[in-house]
């Protein structure tokens, strides 16, 4: 039954995906970062369903996705110089710009804010979809607060029972090559500020803006940037160095815990691409778990160094640890 339903949801035709979106359906779309749960931005009822299907609190703003940079002007009142520079160099790609919101953007998208987050994703199938609609809102296609999806299987595991075959769909574009969400840069403040580290390294944003970038740290101004997020069900412990990793694994094992180690790569591109898949595997792995007693399992991850894509991975792991094992 479940397998049938899953197969009925998966499509591979962007034209069909666009038709479903225009009819008010929800379509999980592949992007270079993660899969997004898309609704037509002009369809209020479909946008409401996105919040329901994800279990996401209303008021958390959604990112608007459009086919090309030329279309951004339809949705914003101004594109400051810094935004033009970043758009020119990074789009299509894993960058979201927060810009002054234009009158066509519905309140439900921005949670009533005067700004809108907008991006031009780089995935050929999703570009083909976006060329056939005005634009879509697309939060990551996972249940609220849980680990983001980088494959069709992840989307189906999280959302299949909440989507309706024939009305909704999952567009199969393979595994997401970047693996962490877009970098969000607020260009409505001067200097601009990185609100979320992501697929474009913060150092690159800094360089492109010739250093005119505000500090990343400080109180987060966007709701939805909760401390606990991206969370596995099992407790997640973080360590900084290999030596700490060995010690922590040893300590937990001698206390009788089953330890799942999130192995780190020296290559940060691979670390980012594999992060969510590894978190999900560590969360689901039942090897050696003969009595199905999950309480004993714990995940230990070593943080990558704080440069390049390491910023985004550290951000996600820290939030995942804060929400792991039922903590919120
Ligand atoms: O890579 C991505 O950005 C993926 C793919 C699917 O495009 N999308 C994504 O969406 O990560 P979501 O909803 O999981 O995260 C959107 C983040 C939230 O933290 C939200 O607070 C922030 O974007 N955001 C959206 N609009 C904003 C705005 N006007 N001002 C500040 N933050 C905003
Ligand atoms: Mg998300």
């Amino acid at each position: 039954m479940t397998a049938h339903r899953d197969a009925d949801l998966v499509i591979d035709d962007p034209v069909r995906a666009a038709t479903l979106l225009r009819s008010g359906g929800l379509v999980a779309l592949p992007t270079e970062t993660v899969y997004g749960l898309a609704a037509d931005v002009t369809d209020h009822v479909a946008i409401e369903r996105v919040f329901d299907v994800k279990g996401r609190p209303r008021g958390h703003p959604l990112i608007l996705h459009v086919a090309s940079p030329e279309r951004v002007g339809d949705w914003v009142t101004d594109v400051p110089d810094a935004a033009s520079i970043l758009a020119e160099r990074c789009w299509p790609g894993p960058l979201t710009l927060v810009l002054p919101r234009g009158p066509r953007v519905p309140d439900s998208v921005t949670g009533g804010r005067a700004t809108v987050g907008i991006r031009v994703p780089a995935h050929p199938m999703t570009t083909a979809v976006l060329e056939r609609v005005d634009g879509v809102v697309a939060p990551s296609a996972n249940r609220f607060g849980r680990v983001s999806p980088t494959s069709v299987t992840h989307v189906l595991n999280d959302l299949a029972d909440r989507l309706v075959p024939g009305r909704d769909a999952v567009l199969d574009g393979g595994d997401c090559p970047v693996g962490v969400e877009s970098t969000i840069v607020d260009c409505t403040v001067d200097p601009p500020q990185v609100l979320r580290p992501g697929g474009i390294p913060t150092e690159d944003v800094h360089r492109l803006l010739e250093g005119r970038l505000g500090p990343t740290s400080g109180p987060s101004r966007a709701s939805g940037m909760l401390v606990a997020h991206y969370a596995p069900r099992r407790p997640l412990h973080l360590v900084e160095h290999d030596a700490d990793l060995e010690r922590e694994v040893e300590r937990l094992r001698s206390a009788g815990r089953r330890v799942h180690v999130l192995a780190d790569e020296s290559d940060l591109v691979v670390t980012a691409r594999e992060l969510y898949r590894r978190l999900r595997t560590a969360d689901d792995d039942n090897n050696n778990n003969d009595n199905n007693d999950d309480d004993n399992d714990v995940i230990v991850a070593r943080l990558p160094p704080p440069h390049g894509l390491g910023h985004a991975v550290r951000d996600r792991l820290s939030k995942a640890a804060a929400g792991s094992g039922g903590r919120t």
Side-chain angles (χ1 to χ4, degrees), residues 68 103 112 152 169 217 254 269 316 323:
S68 67
V152 165
S217 57
S254 24
V269 172
R316 305 305 188 273

Side-chain angles (χ1 to χ4, degrees), residues 33 36 56 61 63 65 115 119 139-140 181-182 184 196 222-223:
T33 60
R56 178 175 172 125
I63 295 173
H65 297 62
T115 60
R119 95 174 185 98
S140 50
E181 292 86 345
S182 59
I184 303 179
R196 176 178 75 182
S223 71

Side-chain angles (χ1 to χ4, degrees), residues 250-267:
E250 195 44 49
R251 185 183 73 77
L252 288 161
R253 287 208 172 120
S254 24
R257 307 293 293 272
R258 269 182 295 260
V259 184
H260 306 263
V261 177
L262 223 68
D264 191 44
E265 305 279 337
S266 51
D267 183 344

Side-chain angles (χ1 to χ4, degrees), residues 34 54 56 139-149 181 196 224 229-230 276:
V34 301
K54 270 188 67 95
R56 178 175 172 125
S140 50
N142 52 281
R143 295 196 186 195
F144 179 69
R146 313 306 305 191
V147 179
S148 303
E181 292 86 345
R196 176 178 75 182
H229 221 85
Y230 314 101
Y276 292 137

Side-chain angles (χ1 to χ4, degrees), residues 118-293:
I118 190 161
R119 95 174 185 98
V120 179
H123 191 294
M125 287 173 85
T126 287
T127 302
V129 176
L130 293 176
E131 281 166 351
R132 292 169 169 82
V133 295
D134 284 349
V136 301
V137 293
S140 50
N142 52 281
R143 295 196 186 195
F144 179 69
R146 313 306 305 191
V147 179
S148 303
T150 54
S151 75
V152 165
T153 306
H154 296 167
V155 177
L156 292 172
N157 285 347
D158 278 19
L159 302 181
D161 62 348
R162 301 173 176 202
L163 298 174
V164 183
R167 177 186 186 191
D168 309 315
V170 179
L171 181 63
D172 188 351
D175 293 350
C176 302
V178 175
V180 290
E181 292 86 345
S182 59
T183 302
I184 303 179
V185 183
D186 184 352
C187 294
T188 65
V189 290
D190 192 17
Q193 191 189 3
V194 173
L195 297 184
R196 176 178 75 182
I200 303 274
T202 310
E203 292 91 338
D204 291 5
V205 177
H206 195 266
R207 185 173 42 77
L208 289 169
L209 297 183
E210 296 175 342
R212 245 176 28 88
L213 188 66
T216 305
S217 57
S220 171
R221 298 182 2 264
S223 71
M225 305 253 173
L226 307 173
V227 173
H229 221 85
Y230 314 101
R233 286 179 296 272
R234 290 172 175 162
L236 170 63
H237 296 210
L238 303 179
V239 297
E240 281 281 353
H241 305 291
D242 281 334
D244 307 331
L245 180 66
E246 280 169 36
R247 217 173 298 124
E248 182 69 353
V249 169
E250 195 44 49
R251 185 183 73 77
L252 288 161
R253 287 208 172 120
S254 24
R257 307 293 293 272
R258 269 182 295 260
V259 184
H260 306 263
V261 177
L262 223 68
D264 191 44
E265 305 279 337
S266 51
D267 183 344
L268 287 171
V269 172
V270 179
T271 301
R273 194 178 64 214
E274 299 294 321
L275 173 68
Y276 292 137
R277 192 181 57 73
R278 286 180 178 159
L279 265 179
R280 281 171 180 264
T281 304
D283 217 16
D284 297 338
D285 183 11
N286 275 322
N287 279 351
N288 312 320
N289 194 355
D290 25 10
N291 57 0
N292 268 347
D293 164 22

